[in-house]
Structures are given as structure tokens and as C-alpha cells.
Amino acid sequence: MAPRCSLEEALRLAATWRAEGKRIVLANGCFDLLHVGHVRYLQAARALGDVLLVALNSDASVRRLKGQGRPVVAEGERAEIVAALRPVDAVVVFDEDTVDSLVSRLRPDVQAKGTDYTEDSVPERQSVLGAGGRVAIAGDPKEHSSRDLIAAILQRFAR
């Protein structure tokens, strides 16, 4: 299982990987109710480099972005689930609404975003370019979502 690390630990890992000549890919998301779209996104992101660092939104960040009732799964459990995925080399939890600050400090070679973005619409695009990296879109078409999964569960089991 990949380690869940603090920002300081992630910075040390990134420095080690960079010294080893590895290309660092940063992917981020809430990963609240992990589904196959998340797995395909992370697999495709990992293929863009040598190591994959996943930035996972904190519970407070998910609440701000997704609204009341979210997250369904607490950040500690979401981090553990994501860290258990084969493509993932480390997980860091962040509390902001974007990964601009992480990008500036970690300086990944690639910032991978899911197919619900274009390279021009990635919120952290300027931070990535400013840190010398590039933005890439990874994963399969956006046909899966946690919101749809929650709706299906409510439809089938709510009484």
C-alpha cells in the first residue's frame, strides 16, 4: 500500500523521486465513493510518468465543493482506499479548493486531470505551467460519477 503522507513528507518524496530522474505525476480529487471512473483516471495518470502522487481533498474541502452531506466517506478512509490502488505511489490530503499551492511546492512534471476538464479549463493550469510542468487529461469519458452512484442507491433503497 502506498503511504499517506503529510505535505512535508510529500515534498521529501518528490525531491527523492526527482533526484532519481523519475517523472512525477500529480492527480487530485475527492474520491468520495470510489468508482471505476476514478480507477481508470488514476491508471491513465500513472501511465503519464514514473510515479503518481494523489492529492485528496480533505473533508472540509469536499463539503465546500460538493455541498451538504458530502463527503460520504471520511478522508482517512478515502485516503486508505486510494493508497491501496496499484497505480498510486503516495497520497497527500489537502484542505484547499484547488491544488495550486501543492503544484507550486511539489512541481510535478505532469498535472493529470479527468476528462470532465480540457487542458485549457484545468483550474491549476497556470500554476502547473509556472512550475515548469504540463497539464494532461487522463481517463475514460466522463460516464461515471459519485453523484449518479448516490442517486442510484437512493432510488433503489430509500423507503
Side-chain angles (χ1 to χ4, degrees), residues 1-3 18 28 35 66-67 102 104 125-126 128 137-138 141 151:
M1 178 182 297
R18 198 170 289 107
N28 67 286
H35 55 72
K66 304 288 185 178
L102 284 176
S104 296
R125 178 179 172 76
Q126 291 308 314
V128 173
I137 304 303

Side-chain angles (χ1 to χ4, degrees), residues 3-4 6 19 35 40 61 67-68 75-77 84 91 93 104 107 109-110 114 116 125 128-130 143 147:
R4 174 183 173 180
S6 67
H35 55 72
R40 292 173 182 166
S61 177
Q68 190 171 5
E75 69 186 38
E77 293 180 9
V91 175
V93 176
S104 296
R107 297 181 297 108
D109 297 285
V110 179
D116 42 345
R125 178 179 172 76
V128 173
L129 298 176
E143 296 173 349
R147 181 181 311 132

Side-chain angles (χ1 to χ4, degrees), residues 29-92:
C30 299
F31 303 103
D32 188 28
L33 292 183
L34 192 73
H35 55 72
V36 71
H38 292 132
V39 173
R40 292 173 182 166
Y41 161 56
L42 295 174
Q43 289 172 329
R46 179 64 165 75
L48 296 169
D50 301 308
V51 291
L52 176 62
L53 176 60
V54 176
L56 184 129
N57 292 75
S58 70
D59 287 348
S61 177
V62 173
R63 273 191 292 278
R64 288 191 305 273
L65 295 170
K66 304 288 185 178
Q68 190 171 5
R70 302 287 300 272
V72 174
V73 180
E75 69 186 38
E77 293 180 9
R78 289 183 288 119
E80 187 174 337
I81 292 168
V82 170
L85 298 174
R86 185 176 310 195
V88 177
D89 293 290
V91 175
V92 61

